[in-house]
Amino acid sequence: MMEILLTVLGLGIAAATFAAIIWSIARPTKRLWPPIRYTVLTPIFVWVPTFTLFGVLIALGVLGWGDLNIPLLLRFGLGVPLILLGNVVVWGAVAGFGVRKTGGAADGLQTDGLYRHSRNPQYMADVAMILGWVVLTAAPLVAVVGFAAIIVLLAAPFSEEPWLRSQYGRKYDEYTAQVRRFF
């Protein structure tokens, strides 16, 4: 019963976030992501769902640990490095980028560091962490919720790019001509 509730919660967060992204793509003047204005409430709307979704993935992984028949060598040999690498990249970027900017505040175009190689290294690192957790836990419901979260992470740049273009103009266009969206 707990696994079902957690799965519904995780899929609900992913679906609501995906809907906000699609809305933002379709209606850029009334977008939800990135926020039109960064306010005192913005971190709540950004970080509570984000950390809740990751918490759901962790809980589902613990509850369904090893339910899929994935060899331990693969689980630990691939899963752990993906999780570690993803965390190093995400938290390193957050430390350099700042929590406000990571949460959607306009504060200059980031083009150095890992952003020289990918326009979205934080999203790619989140994808790596989730894939690593899917493999490590070998839990079917982690895979279900995790892949929904990955779809959201891959869609998010499409709502950010028009905003970035409007914020930074030619500088952003030059950047996109030189650096790939994902890898």
Side-chain angles (χ1 to χ4, degrees):
M1 181 66 166
M2 178 59 85
E3 287 176 305
I4 292 170
L5 291 173
L6 289 168
T7 302
V8 169
L9 176 60
L11 290 175
I13 292 169
T17 306
F18 188 73
I21 289 167
I22 296 301
W23 170 270
S24 299
I25 292 168
R27 313 284 242 100
T29 60
K30 297 183 181 202
R31 71 181 181 278
L32 300 169
W33 182 254
I36 291 172
R37 264 184 319 277
Y38 191 93
T39 69
V40 70
L41 295 177
T42 302
I44 294 168
F45 291 117
V46 171
W47 297 113
V48 169
T50 300
F51 286 119
T52 302
L53 183 55
F54 275 90
V56 164
L57 288 168
I58 291 168
L60 287 172
V62 170
L63 292 169
W65 187 266
D67 285 351
L68 295 174
N69 190 18
I70 299 174
L72 279 176
L73 185 60
L74 178 63
R75 286 173 59 189
F76 283 88
L78 182 61
V80 171
L82 283 172
I83 292 166
L84 292 175
L85 176 65
N87 272 285
V88 166
V89 170
V90 162
W91 295 111
V94 170
F97 215 49
V99 173
R100 281 180 43 87
K101 193 171 179 179
T102 299
D107 192 19
L109 181 62
Q110 188 79 26
T111 60
D112 59 352
L114 292 174
Y115 287 85
R116 289 177 298 166
H117 310 288
S118 169
R119 297 193 316 253
N120 298 285
Q122 290 185 63
Y123 288 141
M124 294 299 88
D126 284 336
V127 168
M129 281 190 289
I130 292 169
L131 285 175
W133 188 242
V134 167
V135 172
L136 178 63
T137 64
L141 294 177
V142 170
V144 170
V145 176
F147 288 124
I150 289 170
I151 290 168
V152 170
L153 292 165
L154 296 177
F158 295 96
S159 67
E160 292 177 1
E161 289 171 355
W163 175 78
L164 288 163
R165 187 164 281 111
S166 72
Q167 293 288 312
Y168 306 110
R170 186 173 176 195
K171 185 175 180 182
Y172 181 71
D173 289 334
E174 291 169 359
Y175 174 61
T176 62
Q178 295 174 357
V179 179
R180 295 178 188 198
R181 179 178 288 124
F182 295 118
F183 294 110

